[in-house]
Structures are given as structure tokens and as C-alpha cells.
Amino acid sequence: MVSSHPHIDSDNIPSHIAVIMDGNGRWAQRQGIKRIFGHQNAIEAVRDVTEGCAELNVKYLSLFAFSTENWNRPKLEVDGLMTLLVKTIKDELSTLQENNIRLKAIGQLDNLPLGTQKSLDQAIERTRINNGMELVLALDYSGKWDLLQAVNQIKETSGTISASSIDAALSTAGMPDPELLIRTSGEMRISNFMLWQLAYTELYFSEVLWPDFRKKDLHEAILSYQQRERRFGKTSEQVSI
């Protein structure tokens, strides 16, 4: 499927979009409700953006769903997030199948509750043969952890550390680096997400809180991306040749 958006260049779509989904708690506070309800209302944003990326033929969509630092939040909120994650995976599995989307998870997955791990493993296995867009959930993920585990893995095998060997040992091995990173809620930082992989990623910061983020906001981010010149250290003249 290709989007019918009149201004988006279908020949210049990022193959990998990463999203830091921020603002759930503030959204809930503005509504005068508990923070967990902000996370519940964020599911529609996940569904809308996933569908929007699939329509645009994005190959990889990575969502920063739960950082290693998030374990420091109140236990009630963390427990609620894990319960919500299990429910969402089960509820959305049929949609993933219908849209030929393959699910993947990265991070320190062994630290997740056993019930969460089981639901995640089942969904990954059931979508394994799908060959459309890959939806990547970063759970108990940290960019510093990813780099450290990659280096330790290399030392245990060949001992030769290089840019290419790190690429091959990261949890994102086999995936292209994100070309576009979207962060919602107006915060302007990458918060320990894919530190190595974001070296040349275009950054887009939206004022919209994540539960309110929709396809139109995704389209705005992609239009901003398409207006930029990606030089990778070269001059404009070299890129235009």
C-alpha cells in the first residue's frame, strides 16, 4: 500500500522509523486521571502509526516501549504497564497477521515478567513468516546496554572490535539504522535509545503528546524528513552529483 497523501514523495520514504513515545503521563495528568490511563490511551496512537507506516511501505518501525530506566517508576505503574503490554499483544495479534506485519523485540527481555515473556514469544513466533513491515518493540532497552553487550559478545568470539563487528552484534543486527527518529511531547533528547544506530538519523521533535499522535502527525514528520538534505559528512555539491 502507498499513501495517497498529496505531498509525500513515495520514492523518499525512510526505510526505518524509530519512535520515542513520550507524554503518556502528562496526558493523563491533564485529564485528571491516573498515569496508567495515559498508557492505555496510547494504544490507539501505536495502532494508527503502525498502520500509517505500513501504508507508506516503511520496512521497519521501532517503538521505545519500555526503557531500562523505567523500572525506577512506581511499582504500581510498572505492573500496570506489563499487564497492559500482555493484553495489547493479544488484542493486536490478529491485526498484525492481517497486515502481514512481523513482530520483533529487543532489549533485556529475560528481565520481563514470565507472563509478558510468554505472550511476546508467542506473538513473535506466530508472525515469524510474515514478510511485510517489521514492528520492533524495545523493552527493558538501553542504548548503553546494547553497546556493552555487543562489545562483550565480540570479545568472547573474535576479540576484534570494529564498526562492522559492532553493527553485527547489536540487538538490531540485520536492520538498517533508523533514518528518522520521532519523539513526542516536546522533549528534545534521545534518552539512551539506540545510541550507536542514531549516529546519522534525522531527528524530529513533536509537541504532540503520544496518546494524541495520529497519522497526520506521522505525515508531518515524514514531510520534514523529506525536506532535509542528508550529507553524511559530504558537501551539498557532492550530494547533488
Side-chain angles (χ1 to χ4, degrees), residues 165-209:
S165 66
I166 291 176
D167 283 336
L170 289 168
S171 61
T172 53
M175 298 164 50
D177 290 341
E179 290 153 309
L180 173 63
L181 170 73
I182 300 169
R183 180 170 187 149
T184 58
S185 87
E187 299 293 345
M188 297 185 183
R189 55 182 178 272
I190 59 174
S191 295
N192 198 10
F193 186 44
M194 293 190 178
L195 300 178
W196 178 273
Q197 299 91 327
L198 294 178
Y200 273 101
T201 300
E202 298 296 328
L203 309 180
Y204 180 85
F205 300 105
S206 171
E207 294 291 332
V208 179
L209 299 178

Side-chain angles (χ1 to χ4, degrees), residues 125 224 230:
E125 178 58 28
S224 174
R230 308 196 73 215

Side-chain angles (χ1 to χ4, degrees), residues 15-128:
S15 62
H16 185 178
I17 295 177
V19 184
I20 298 177
M21 306 178 292
D22 196 18
N24 296 347
R26 273 166 285 172
W27 184 92
Q29 289 169 354
R30 290 180 185 180
Q31 310 295 320
I33 55 181
K34 293 181 179 180
R35 289 174 58 90
I36 191 62
F37 292 108
H39 299 302
Q40 290 177 351
N41 280 275
I43 294 169
E44 189 174 347
V46 172
R47 187 183 299 123
D48 214 48
V49 169
T50 300
E51 182 180 283
C53 285
E55 289 172 351
L56 289 164
N57 290 326
V58 173
K59 303 303 181 186
Y60 299 87
L61 172 62
S62 293
L63 303 178
F64 201 7
F66 191 85
S67 73
T68 299
E69 291 80 9
N70 286 156
W71 290 115
N72 296 319
R73 292 187 174 186
K75 184 178 185 301
L76 187 63
E77 181 177 348
V78 172
D79 291 345
L81 277 169
M82 292 299 149
T83 300
L84 181 61
L85 178 60
V86 170
K87 182 179 186 303
T88 302
I89 291 171
K90 291 179 178 178
D91 290 348
E92 299 299 321
L93 183 57
S94 60
T95 302
L96 295 178
Q97 297 286 49
E98 290 168 8
N99 290 279
N100 196 30
I101 294 172
R102 184 171 61 255
L103 185 65
K104 177 183 172 71
I106 60 174
Q108 301 172 88
L109 305 179
D110 289 344
N111 291 338
L112 301 176
L114 292 178
T116 305
Q117 291 183 44
K118 182 178 179 180
S119 294
L120 197 57
D121 289 343
Q122 289 175 344
I124 289 171
E125 178 58 28
R126 289 183 63 180
T127 62
R128 182 176 55 83

